[in-house]
Each structure stands twice: as structure tokens, then as C-alpha cells.
Short mmCIF file of all heavy atoms in Angstrom, two decimals:
data_model
loop_
_atom_site.label_atom_id
_atom_site.label_comp_id
_atom_site.label_asym_id
_atom_site.label_seq_id
_atom_site.Cartn_x
_atom_site.Cartn_y
_atom_site.Cartn_z
N LYS H 1 0.35 -7.07 6.03
CA LYS H 1 1.68 -7.37 5.76
C LYS H 1 2.37 -6.44 4.54
O LYS H 1 1.80 -6.44 3.50
CB LYS H 1 1.72 -8.71 5.19
CG LYS H 1 1.33 -9.81 6.33
CD LYS H 1 1.23 -11.32 5.78
CE LYS H 1 0.94 -12.15 7.00
NZ LYS H 1 0.65 -13.49 6.60
N LEU H 2 3.32 -5.65 4.97
CA LEU H 2 3.89 -4.78 4.07
C LEU H 2 5.08 -5.42 3.29
O LEU H 2 5.71 -6.27 3.75
CB LEU H 2 4.38 -3.54 4.86
CG LEU H 2 3.34 -2.52 5.25
CD1 LEU H 2 2.40 -2.97 6.47
CD2 LEU H 2 3.87 -1.22 5.43
N ALA H 3 5.31 -4.90 2.04
CA ALA H 3 6.33 -5.49 1.18
C ALA H 3 7.56 -4.65 1.12
O ALA H 3 7.72 -3.54 1.67
CB ALA H 3 5.76 -5.48 -0.15
N TYR H 4 8.72 -5.36 0.76
CA TYR H 4 10.02 -4.69 0.50
C TYR H 4 9.85 -3.45 -0.25
O TYR H 4 10.56 -2.47 0.07
CB TYR H 4 10.95 -5.75 0.04
CG TYR H 4 12.37 -5.07 -0.19
CD1 TYR H 4 13.26 -5.01 0.78
CD2 TYR H 4 12.57 -4.65 -1.51
CE1 TYR H 4 14.43 -4.48 0.66
CE2 TYR H 4 14.03 -4.15 -1.79
CZ TYR H 4 14.89 -3.99 -0.69
OH TYR H 4 16.16 -3.39 -0.94
N THR H 5 9.20 -3.51 -1.28
CA THR H 5 9.06 -2.30 -2.23
C THR H 5 8.56 -1.08 -1.44
O THR H 5 8.84 -0.05 -1.95
CB THR H 5 8.13 -2.63 -3.48
OG1 THR H 5 6.89 -3.08 -2.97
CG2 THR H 5 8.90 -3.69 -4.30
N THR H 6 7.68 -1.39 -0.51
CA THR H 6 7.10 -0.21 0.13
C THR H 6 7.76 0.16 1.58
O THR H 6 7.18 0.84 2.48
CB THR H 6 5.63 -0.55 0.49
OG1 THR H 6 5.53 -1.66 1.43
CG2 THR H 6 4.80 -0.86 -0.83
N ARG H 7 9.02 -0.32 1.72
CA ARG H 7 9.75 -0.16 2.99
C ARG H 7 9.78 1.22 3.43
O ARG H 7 9.79 1.57 4.70
CB ARG H 7 11.12 -0.84 2.97
CG ARG H 7 12.05 -0.20 2.11
CD ARG H 7 13.32 -1.15 1.97
NE ARG H 7 14.41 -0.63 1.20
CZ ARG H 7 14.39 -0.39 0.11
NH1 ARG H 7 13.38 -0.99 -0.81
NH2 ARG H 7 15.46 0.05 -0.74
N HIS H 8 9.94 2.26 2.58
CA HIS H 8 10.12 3.67 3.02
C HIS H 8 8.79 4.17 3.45
O HIS H 8 8.74 5.06 4.42
CB HIS H 8 10.64 4.47 1.79
CG HIS H 8 12.04 4.07 1.49
ND1 HIS H 8 13.07 4.02 2.30
CD2 HIS H 8 12.52 3.66 0.22
CE1 HIS H 8 14.17 3.62 1.70
NE2 HIS H 8 13.89 3.32 0.42
N VAL H 9 7.69 3.81 2.98
CA VAL H 9 6.23 4.06 3.45
C VAL H 9 6.10 3.24 4.78
O VAL H 9 5.45 3.90 5.67
CB VAL H 9 5.27 3.58 2.45
CG1 VAL H 9 3.80 3.95 3.01
CG2 VAL H 9 5.43 4.28 1.02
N ALA H 10 6.52 2.01 4.87
CA ALA H 10 6.37 1.29 6.00
C ALA H 10 7.02 1.94 7.36
O ALA H 10 6.45 1.66 8.52
CB ALA H 10 7.14 -0.19 5.73
N GLU H 11 8.02 2.69 7.26
CA GLU H 11 8.56 3.33 8.33
C GLU H 11 7.64 4.24 9.04
O GLU H 11 7.48 4.17 10.32
CB GLU H 11 9.88 4.20 7.96
CG GLU H 11 10.95 3.38 7.36
CD GLU H 11 12.08 4.25 6.83
OE1 GLU H 11 11.98 5.37 6.92
OE2 GLU H 11 13.09 3.58 6.24
N ASP H 12 6.76 5.02 8.37
CA ASP H 12 5.78 5.79 8.90
C ASP H 12 4.54 5.05 9.47
O ASP H 12 4.06 5.17 10.49
CB ASP H 12 5.23 6.88 7.92
CG ASP H 12 4.19 7.63 8.52
OD1 ASP H 12 4.55 8.57 9.47
OD2 ASP H 12 2.98 7.55 8.15
N ILE H 13 4.24 3.98 8.76
CA ILE H 13 3.04 3.17 9.10
C ILE H 13 3.39 2.40 10.36
O ILE H 13 2.64 2.23 11.31
CB ILE H 13 2.69 2.06 8.06
CG1 ILE H 13 2.21 2.87 6.76
CG2 ILE H 13 1.74 1.09 8.48
CD1 ILE H 13 1.93 1.91 5.65
N ALA H 14 4.54 1.87 10.58
CA ALA H 14 5.05 1.23 11.80
C ALA H 14 4.96 2.16 13.04
O ALA H 14 4.72 1.76 14.14
CB ALA H 14 6.43 0.75 11.60
N THR H 15 5.30 3.40 12.96
CA THR H 15 5.32 4.40 14.03
C THR H 15 3.93 5.09 14.44
O THR H 15 3.79 5.41 15.54
CB THR H 15 6.44 5.47 13.81
OG1 THR H 15 6.15 6.18 12.64
CG2 THR H 15 7.79 4.78 13.74
N SER H 16 3.21 5.22 13.29
CA SER H 16 1.95 5.95 13.54
C SER H 16 0.75 5.23 12.69
O SER H 16 -0.10 4.53 13.32
CB SER H 16 2.09 7.41 13.02
OG SER H 16 0.88 8.04 12.93
N GLY H 17 0.91 5.43 11.35
CA GLY H 17 -0.08 4.80 10.53
C GLY H 17 -1.52 5.54 10.51
O GLY H 17 -2.45 5.29 9.90
N THR H 18 -1.43 6.87 11.16
CA THR H 18 -2.51 7.64 11.00
C THR H 18 -2.63 8.73 9.83
O THR H 18 -1.46 8.88 9.19
CB THR H 18 -2.61 8.58 12.31
OG1 THR H 18 -1.53 9.33 12.36
CG2 THR H 18 -2.77 7.79 13.58
N GLY H 19 -3.74 9.01 9.48
CA GLY H 19 -3.87 10.01 8.33
C GLY H 19 -3.91 9.46 6.94
O GLY H 19 -3.75 10.17 6.01
N TYR H 20 -4.04 8.11 6.91
CA TYR H 20 -4.21 7.44 5.72
C TYR H 20 -5.52 7.20 5.21
O TYR H 20 -6.42 6.95 6.07
CB TYR H 20 -3.33 6.19 5.66
CG TYR H 20 -1.88 6.30 5.65
CD1 TYR H 20 -1.29 6.27 6.99
CD2 TYR H 20 -1.14 6.69 4.54
CE1 TYR H 20 0.22 6.50 7.02
CE2 TYR H 20 0.19 6.86 4.63
CZ TYR H 20 0.81 6.74 5.85
OH TYR H 20 2.19 6.89 5.93
N SER H 21 -5.90 7.13 4.00
CA SER H 21 -7.12 6.69 3.36
C SER H 21 -7.10 5.88 2.25
O SER H 21 -5.85 5.58 1.71
CB SER H 21 -8.03 7.99 3.01
OG SER H 21 -7.17 8.81 2.01
N LEU H 22 -8.14 5.22 1.77
CA LEU H 22 -8.27 4.40 0.66
C LEU H 22 -9.00 5.12 -0.50
O LEU H 22 -10.10 5.49 -0.13
CB LEU H 22 -8.78 2.98 1.02
CG LEU H 22 -7.99 2.02 1.71
CD1 LEU H 22 -8.72 0.69 1.85
CD2 LEU H 22 -6.62 1.70 0.95
N VAL H 23 -8.38 5.15 -1.73
CA VAL H 23 -8.99 5.76 -2.86
C VAL H 23 -9.49 4.56 -3.76
O VAL H 23 -8.46 3.83 -4.17
CB VAL H 23 -8.19 6.66 -3.54
CG1 VAL H 23 -9.00 7.29 -4.74
CG2 VAL H 23 -7.83 7.88 -2.50
N ALA H 24 -10.71 4.42 -4.05
CA ALA H 24 -11.17 3.33 -4.93
C ALA H 24 -12.23 3.84 -5.92
O ALA H 24 -12.62 4.90 -5.83
CB ALA H 24 -11.59 2.18 -4.03
N GLY H 25 -12.63 3.00 -6.72
CA GLY H 25 -13.69 3.33 -7.71
C GLY H 25 -13.35 3.03 -9.07
O GLY H 25 -12.18 2.91 -9.48
N ASP H 26 -14.33 3.01 -9.97
CA ASP H 26 -14.16 2.74 -11.41
C ASP H 26 -13.22 3.73 -12.05
O ASP H 26 -12.55 3.40 -13.08
CB ASP H 26 -15.46 2.60 -12.14
CG ASP H 26 -16.27 1.45 -11.68
OD1 ASP H 26 -15.65 0.44 -10.97
OD2 ASP H 26 -17.56 1.45 -11.94
N GLY H 27 -13.20 5.00 -11.65
CA GLY H 27 -12.39 6.08 -12.18
C GLY H 27 -10.99 6.06 -11.79
O GLY H 27 -10.27 6.91 -12.41
N VAL H 28 -10.52 5.13 -10.87
CA VAL H 28 -9.20 5.16 -10.47
C VAL H 28 -8.33 4.28 -11.33
O VAL H 28 -8.48 3.15 -11.46
CB VAL H 28 -9.09 4.76 -9.03
CG1 VAL H 28 -7.67 4.75 -8.43
CG2 VAL H 28 -9.96 5.62 -8.13
N VAL H 29 -7.23 4.87 -11.91
CA VAL H 29 -6.29 4.28 -12.83
C VAL H 29 -4.95 4.25 -12.08
O VAL H 29 -4.35 5.23 -11.91
CB VAL H 29 -6.15 5.01 -14.05
CG1 VAL H 29 -5.16 4.22 -15.03
CG2 VAL H 29 -7.55 4.99 -14.79
N PRO H 30 -4.48 3.01 -11.67
CA PRO H 30 -3.10 3.02 -11.00
C PRO H 30 -2.02 3.24 -11.85
O PRO H 30 -2.13 2.99 -13.16
CB PRO H 30 -3.18 1.46 -10.42
CG PRO H 30 -4.04 0.77 -11.41
CD PRO H 30 -5.05 1.68 -11.91
N ARG H 31 -0.85 3.71 -11.40
CA ARG H 31 0.34 3.86 -12.10
C ARG H 31 1.42 3.19 -11.37
O ARG H 31 1.33 2.87 -10.21
CB ARG H 31 0.68 5.34 -12.27
CG ARG H 31 -0.46 6.27 -13.01
CD ARG H 31 -0.12 7.67 -12.95
NE ARG H 31 -0.04 8.18 -11.53
CZ ARG H 31 0.33 9.47 -11.24
NH1 ARG H 31 0.73 10.29 -12.25
NH2 ARG H 31 0.27 9.75 -9.96
N ALA H 32 2.51 2.97 -12.12
CA ALA H 32 3.76 2.28 -11.50
C ALA H 32 4.08 3.09 -10.37
O ALA H 32 4.37 4.36 -10.52
CB ALA H 32 4.84 2.15 -12.58
N GLY H 33 4.30 2.40 -9.24
CA GLY H 33 4.84 3.20 -8.01
C GLY H 33 3.79 3.50 -7.08
O GLY H 33 3.99 3.94 -5.92
N ASP H 34 2.43 3.46 -7.52
CA ASP H 34 1.34 3.69 -6.52
C ASP H 34 1.31 2.49 -5.54
O ASP H 34 1.38 1.49 -5.94
CB ASP H 34 0.01 3.83 -7.30
CG ASP H 34 -0.16 5.05 -8.08
OD1 ASP H 34 0.60 5.97 -7.86
OD2 ASP H 34 -1.11 5.09 -8.92
N VAL H 35 1.07 2.96 -4.21
CA VAL H 35 0.94 2.04 -3.16
C VAL H 35 -0.54 1.67 -3.01
O VAL H 35 -1.35 2.38 -3.01
CB VAL H 35 1.57 2.64 -1.82
CG1 VAL H 35 1.47 1.53 -0.66
CG2 VAL H 35 3.06 2.97 -2.15
N VAL H 36 -0.75 0.27 -2.94
CA VAL H 36 -2.02 -0.38 -2.83
C VAL H 36 -2.24 -1.15 -1.72
O VAL H 36 -1.32 -2.00 -1.41
CB VAL H 36 -2.32 -0.88 -4.16
CG1 VAL H 36 -1.45 -2.09 -4.51
CG2 VAL H 36 -3.87 -1.45 -4.23
N LEU H 37 -3.43 -1.07 -1.09
CA LEU H 37 -3.80 -2.17 -0.03
C LEU H 37 -4.56 -3.21 -0.76
O LEU H 37 -5.66 -2.80 -1.46
CB LEU H 37 -4.67 -1.60 1.07
CG LEU H 37 -5.20 -2.52 2.13
CD1 LEU H 37 -3.94 -2.99 2.91
CD2 LEU H 37 -6.09 -1.87 3.05
N ALA H 38 -4.30 -4.31 -0.67
CA ALA H 38 -4.99 -5.48 -1.50
C ALA H 38 -5.12 -6.78 -0.57
O ALA H 38 -4.42 -6.80 0.39
CB ALA H 38 -4.00 -5.86 -2.71
N ARG H 39 -6.13 -7.61 -0.93
CA ARG H 39 -6.40 -8.80 -0.20
C ARG H 39 -6.01 -10.00 -1.02
O ARG H 39 -6.20 -10.07 -2.31
CB ARG H 39 -7.88 -8.86 0.10
CG ARG H 39 -8.33 -10.19 0.72
CD ARG H 39 -9.78 -10.26 1.20
NE ARG H 39 -10.20 -9.19 1.96
CZ ARG H 39 -11.20 -8.16 1.66
NH1 ARG H 39 -11.52 -8.03 0.40
NH2 ARG H 39 -11.36 -7.15 2.57
N VAL H 40 -5.29 -10.90 -0.51
CA VAL H 40 -4.93 -12.14 -1.14
C VAL H 40 -6.11 -12.98 -1.42
O VAL H 40 -6.82 -13.21 -0.36
CB VAL H 40 -3.83 -12.88 -0.29
CG1 VAL H 40 -3.41 -14.21 -1.04
CG2 VAL H 40 -2.54 -12.01 -0.18
N THR H 41 -6.26 -13.43 -2.59
CA THR H 41 -7.48 -14.28 -2.81
C THR H 41 -7.14 -15.75 -3.09
O THR H 41 -8.02 -16.54 -3.00
CB THR H 41 -8.29 -13.70 -3.95
OG1 THR H 41 -7.45 -13.53 -5.13
CG2 THR H 41 -8.91 -12.36 -3.65
N ALA H 42 -5.98 -15.83 -3.75
CA ALA H 42 -5.59 -17.26 -3.98
C ALA H 42 -4.12 -17.42 -3.97
O ALA H 42 -3.46 -16.59 -4.71
CB ALA H 42 -6.22 -17.70 -5.40
N ILE H 43 -3.50 -18.52 -3.37
CA ILE H 43 -2.08 -18.59 -3.31
C ILE H 43 -1.52 -19.29 -4.56
O ILE H 43 -2.09 -20.38 -4.90
CB ILE H 43 -1.68 -19.34 -2.10
CG1 ILE H 43 -2.06 -18.59 -0.86
CG2 ILE H 43 -0.22 -19.52 -2.07
CD1 ILE H 43 -1.61 -17.32 -0.64
N GLY H 44 -0.47 -18.76 -5.25
CA GLY H 44 0.02 -19.34 -6.44
C GLY H 44 1.50 -19.37 -6.23
O GLY H 44 2.11 -19.96 -5.22
#
């Protein structure tokens, strides 16, 4: 489920979605504006 904030990224994902990868690990520090794939764990 893609969000409104990511709608310009979503245009490419909807038509293709190829060529993407996930970067993770203890050394990864997110910054404002980074796009992230996440799992919902609890509804609030």
C-alpha cells in the first residue's frame, strides 16, 4: 500500500516496479524524504 507522500515514486511502481532493492542493516541511517518499505505491526 503506497502513500500520498510517495505518489511520484508510485507512478513508476504502478507501471513497472522493476529494478528496486531494499537497503537495511545497523549502519543505515534514514533521512527525511527517504522512501521506506515497512510492515504494520499494530493499529493505532
